Amino acid sequence: MKKYMLLAAAGAAVLATAAPTQAKPYSFVITGSQTIKFVLDSSPTPPIVDPGNYFVLAGVNGTINNVATTFDLGFGSPSYFFNFGLINNVVGFSFVSTGVAMYTGSESAPTFKLGTFTLTPNTPEPDYTMTISAVPEPVSWAMLMAGFGGIGARMRRRRNVTVRVAYSG
C-alpha cells in the first residue's frame, strides 16, 4: 500500500513540474441561430487595442455550425457601444452585440470572465448566448488518469477474505 502511495505521489510531482506555467485556455461557445466555437487564452495579448474602448483578436480559428473557419473578434469595454463583435467573410457571418463586458483589466491586458453572457445583436435577430468555460489542461487529465489507475491497481490487489460460519443445528 505504501509503495503505491509513494509511486502515485512521485508521479503527481513529475506531472506537476513537467508543464510550464502559461495562460489557461478558455472555451467559447456561442449558441443561437448558429453555433460558433473557438478557444482563446484566458489573458490574451491583443494585437489591436483602442484603450478604454475595445480590443481585437484577428485570425482566430474556430467553427461555425461545425465548419472550420477563421474570424476576427472584437471585445468592447463597459462604456463602448458593443461588448462583442465577430466578422467572418468566408461564411458570410458577422454581428455586433450589446451587453456587459466579458473581460476585466485593460484592453491591452484583458482577462476573460467565466460564465454565460447574453449577446443582443444590433440587427433584428434573436439573442445569442455565449458561454466561456475553462478547458482542462493536459496535466490535469494525466493526474486524473493516474489516480484512476492507482485506484484500479489497489482494487485488483485487494484480497478476498472468506468468512466461515459454523452452523450448529
Side-chain angles (χ1 to χ4, degrees):
M1 171 79 171
K2 288 183 181 181
K3 177 181 170 183
Y4 289 114
M5 296 297 280
L6 288 173
L7 286 174
V14 167
L15 289 173
T17 59
T21 304
Q22 59 185 12
K24 294 180 181 178
Y26 281 0
S27 170
F28 291 70
V29 178
I30 302 171
T31 53
S33 62
Q34 299 192 44
T35 300
I36 303 163
K37 298 178 182 179
F38 52 92
V39 174
L40 297 173
D41 284 342
S42 58
S43 298
T45 303
I48 302 168
V49 175
D50 183 0
N53 292 321
Y54 65 87
F55 66 91
V56 175
L57 300 172
V60 174
N61 294 317
T63 62
I64 297 178
N65 293 334
N66 294 320
V67 175
T69 190
T70 302
F71 32 75
D72 298 338
L73 305 172
F75 294 88
S77 71
S79 61
Y80 202 58
F81 77 93
F82 75 89
N83 72 332
F84 178 74
L86 181 144
I87 299 171
N88 176 273
N89 295 328
V90 175
V91 179
F93 185 75
S94 66
F95 75 86
V96 173
S97 72
T98 58
V100 300
M102 292 175 255
Y103 64 94
T104 60
S106 68
E107 287 68 37
S108 58
T111 299
F112 289 111
K113 298 177 186 176
L114 296 174
T116 300
F117 303 88
T118 299
L119 304 177
T120 304
N122 61 349
T123 58
E125 293 182 36
D127 289 351
Y128 283 76
T129 300
M130 177 186 283
T131 302
I132 304 173
S133 58
V135 175
E137 296 179 21
V139 170
S140 299
W141 283 109
M143 288 175 59
L144 180 68
M145 293 297 117
F148 283 140
I151 290 169
R154 177 68 181 131
M155 290 177 71
R156 186 172 180 171
R157 290 193 46 87
R158 185 174 285 172
R159 297 179 187 190
N160 292 331
V161 177
T162 304
V163 177
R164 297 181 186 214
V165 178
Y167 179 73
S168 59

